[in-house]
Amino acid sequence: MSEQNAFLFEVAPHHDARVPVAGQGLSRWRAALYLLLAVLLSAGVILAPLLVTVLISFSSPGAWSDVLSDGQAWQAVGNTLIWWVLVVVVCAVGLGLAWLVRNAGPALGLVMRVILVLPAVVSPLTTGAIFRLLFDTSRERGMAAALLGRDTAFLGPGWIWLVLGLAFVWQYAGVAFLVFHEALNRLPSNLLRMARAFGVGRQRRLWSVVLPALAGPAALAYLFALVAAARVFDLVLMGVPGATQALVEGGGLYWWRHNDDLGDAGAAALAVLMSLLVAGLASLALLGLRGRVSWADPAPAAPPPPADRGRRLWPLGGAVSVLWLLPFAALLFTSLREPVAAARTGWWNGEPWTLGSYAEALSDSAFTGALGTTFLRAVAVVCVVLLAAVPAAYVLAHEHLLPRRAWRPVLLVSVALAALPPQAFAVPLQRWLSPVGTPLALIIVHAALVMPLAVLVLHNAFVRVPAPMLARDRWELFHVVREARPAVVLAGVLAFVLVWNDAVVGLLLNWPSGDHLPLILLEQARHFMSAASPLAAQAVIATAVPVLVVAVTARRLYRGLTRGVRR
């Protein structure tokens, strides 16, 4: 070991984040009881149907060969890899923005935290509608084409990936920025100064101190973006004209369009192929879930940045904030225009504003009924997810309750399930849960899909609860939940937002879905330009609910995403 490496090994904090074994800790039977609901949801809704899908894929001798020789299927799988590249871009943009404003001061940091994270609570359907409005091919309607002064085929083959990439980065880079911004503020500055004093070079400091400290945040940001990319569906359906969708559709959308043509075995083989691909990509997050340097450890307060540096960063922060607010402005102004005018010209034209589209939306019983039904469904899913995920994450935090060789596979399965595309188990679920009834079945499926991600978020917080909080008595779980309350709030808000904005489950399972809000919005895509103003009004109303939920829980939500615990 070199002198520099030996120095870093001695001074770097090696925290044992595991919950200590306690005299009155959990018994194996009690731990099994805590895991019961999570196991039932995962096994009944995800693992068992996934196994059935695998068996169906081998039921026909030529199913796999047909899929593997299908050029269109491989194009869709290749598009899935492009979406994965966009996941990396999202993380890179978030890290880059966080690095640029790391010493900008609390005021600019607060402004950017609020503005950049707002798109994450927007439905992908709404995001698709916004960017389709912004990049309309006509210079009379599309702002980007108007800036160029000519009609431009932004929604055609040559430009469409750029439009989708901008939409995806706009929606999810803010979450990565928030995580990295906090992580950079809590870097072990004393260790960096000591390393510089001992002559450790910049590259060695980067690899030995900075990257290990960012491993946990990077894994979390990567997982959030990967879940969105693995289930990308409605962004393409709303944001891309029908004639172009085949060029950019991922494996999930291709499966939905062609599962009847592929046959049961062929559709199952394609679903298994996509699942293996996504599971492999998700497993990369394991590299950072338990980094050697704990990113939540408190760091000494850094000196305030020089005033002139803060002032220099405000123009940059202001420009980024304006760019992130522009899509919201386009949606709002379009919703305030008269429908005929909105269909002819862009939102920046000086047309008189009207609330007619809002009045039309609120007088539509189908839309208002879907608002109430979707809200109740989302609340029910939050309750089920927390009931299952909190005790499960608590057990996983007690690593001594699982054999040492079993703990890592359990975490790997949790990561894979968090990003698993619903196509992998859609057909068996449709057959099994139809007798249960649509409303209850949708709650069960949504809860099972969200629960693995909630477990990972909660586990990341539970292992950081201070040791004195543990091993008190048999009510230890409640003490841990109290200390990790921000992470519990984060898990609940994640469940609510994901269910509120989801348009995939109902479509894949082919159940009557007229009472789920995103699918009401999707109906408008069939007549996109003529219905631009009413669609925008419905989207604004639909977006207001999760934005309000995030605003009410903002402080705890921020702590849950960055620290996980109260301290």
Side-chain angles (χ1 to χ4, degrees):
M1 181 180 292
S2 68
E3 181 179 353
Q4 291 179 349
N5 286 342
F7 162 77
L8 290 174
F9 180 83
E10 291 297 329
V11 300
H14 297 261
H15 297 292
D16 185 2
R18 296 173 296 176
V19 176
V21 180
Q24 297 183 7
L26 284 178
S27 67
R28 294 295 175 92
W29 287 105
R30 191 173 165 199
L33 181 62
Y34 281 4
L35 288 171
L36 180 60
L37 183 54
V39 171
L40 288 177
L41 282 174
S42 298
V45 179
I46 300 179
L47 294 177
L50 177 61
L51 177 60
V52 172
T53 302
V54 173
L55 295 176
I56 293 175
S57 70
F58 290 102
S59 63
S60 175
W64 276 96
S65 60
D66 290 343
V67 169
L68 295 177
S69 61
D70 188 341
Q72 290 183 319
W74 276 110
Q75 179 183 345
V77 173
N79 289 340
T80 300
L81 291 176
I82 295 178
W83 285 106
W84 174 74
V85 172
L86 291 176
V87 169
V88 178
V89 172
V90 163
C91 296
V93 170
L95 177 58
L97 291 174
W99 182 264
L100 288 174
V101 301
R102 66 191 185 281
N103 294 322
L108 180 58
L110 176 61
V111 170
M112 294 192 67
R113 285 200 303 268
V114 172
I115 293 176
L116 268 62
V117 173
L118 280 179
V121 303
V122 175
S123 165
L125 282 173
T126 300
T127 300
I130 291 173
F131 278 79
R132 188 166 173 178
L133 289 171
L134 289 174
F135 289 93
D136 191 282
T137 57
S138 170
R139 65 179 182 273
E140 297 296 328
R141 296 189 301 266
M143 190 184 71
L147 291 175
L148 296 178
R150 58 186 177 86
D151 294 352
T152 307
F154 284 117
L155 302 179
W159 293 90
I160 189 60
W161 272 115
L162 174 63
V163 175
L164 290 175
L166 290 174
F168 192 76
V169 170
W170 176 77
Q171 184 156 30
Y172 297 108
V175 176
F177 163 80
L178 184 63
V179 174
F180 284 122
H181 179 69
E182 175 66 14
L184 289 172
N185 286 339
R186 300 175 72 81
L187 277 177
S189 55
N190 286 341
L191 180 57
L192 289 170
R193 286 195 294 268
M194 292 174 65
R196 284 194 293 267
F198 275 77
V200 179
R202 181 186 298 270
Q203 184 175 2
R204 175 61 61 184
R205 294 198 304 269
L206 174 66
W207 284 100
S208 301
V209 181
V210 177
L211 289 184
L214 296 179
L220 195 59
Y222 176 79
L223 267 181
F224 284 149
L226 183 63
V227 169
R231 300 174 184 176
V232 69
F233 199 96
D234 30 7
L235 176 61
V236 175
L237 283 178
M238 179 67 81
V240 182
T244 314
Q245 288 181 6
L247 299 177
V248 295
E249 64 184 2
L253 187 54
Y254 178 84
W255 184 96
W256 179 63
R257 293 186 188 280
H258 299 282
N259 68 87
D260 291 336
D261 300 331
L262 294 169
D264 289 346
L270 179 58
V272 172
L273 180 62
M274 290 189 302
S275 301
L276 292 174
L277 176 62
V278 172
L281 297 176
S283 65
L284 297 176
L286 286 175
L287 298 176
L289 280 178
R290 295 183 61 81
R292 193 178 65 173
V293 180
S294 175
W295 67 295
D297 290 338
D308 58 339
R309 176 175 172 80
R311 286 193 295 268
R312 288 198 306 268
L313 288 174
W314 268 102
L316 172 63
V320 172
S321 300
V322 169
L323 285 176
W324 249 256
L325 288 175
L326 180 60
F328 286 113
L331 182 69
L332 178 61
F333 291 146
T334 301
S335 71
L336 293 173
R337 300 193 67 209
E338 196 274 328
V340 175
R344 293 176 177 173
T345 58
W347 55 271
W348 60 90
N349 287 278
E351 298 285 346
W353 292 353
T354 175
L355 295 176
S357 293
Y358 287 93
E360 179 182 346
L362 295 176
S363 63
D364 184 349
S365 59
F367 177 73
T368 55
L371 278 173
T373 301
T374 306
F375 181 84
L376 294 176
R377 182 174 295 143
V379 171
V381 170
V382 169
C383 295
V384 175
V385 166
L386 293 183
L387 284 173
V390 168
Y394 174 68
V395 171
L396 290 179
H398 288 72
E399 294 182 20
H400 65 279
L401 292 174
L402 295 173
R404 184 172 296 274
R405 294 180 179 179
W407 185 87
R408 193 77 173 179
V410 168
L411 187 60
L412 175 61
V413 170
S414 299
V415 170
L417 292 182
L420 194 67
Q423 292 83 359
F425 44 83
V427 173
L429 274 186
Q430 182 186 2
R431 298 171 182 171
W432 297 352
L433 294 182
S434 292
V436 177
T438 301
L440 180 58
L442 282 177
I443 291 173
I444 294 173
V445 174
H446 278 302
L449 289 176
V450 176
M451 194 264 301
L453 185 60
V455 167
L456 291 173
V457 168
L458 292 169
H459 170 269
N460 207 33
F462 286 176
V463 296
R464 293 185 172 91
V465 173
M469 293 289 108
L470 304 175
R472 292 180 173 180
D473 50 40
R474 61 181 178 178
W475 302 106
E476 172 186 314
L477 173 59
F478 296 97
H479 301 310
V480 175
V481 169
R482 184 180 63 182
E483 289 300 308
R485 197 158 45 202
V488 176
V489 172
L490 172 62
V493 172
L494 274 176
F496 183 92
V497 171
L498 289 174
V499 174
W500 181 268
N501 291 333
D502 181 78
V504 178
V505 171
L507 286 175
L508 287 180
L509 299 178
N510 295 321
W511 288 333
S513 50
D515 64 343
H516 198 62
L517 183 61
L519 298 180
I520 297 289
L521 300 179
L522 187 58
E523 287 293 321
Q524 300 279 8
R526 298 180 179 180
H527 311 284
F528 185 86
M529 290 316 305
S530 61
S533 179
L535 171 61
Q538 291 183 352
V540 169
I541 296 172
T543 302
V545 175
V547 168
L548 180 61
V549 171
V550 170
V552 170
T553 60
R555 179 170 297 182
R556 289 181 178 174
L557 194 65
Y558 172 68
R559 291 180 180 176
L561 189 60
T562 56
R563 297 180 181 90
V565 294
R566 294 193 302 174
R567 303 181 180 188

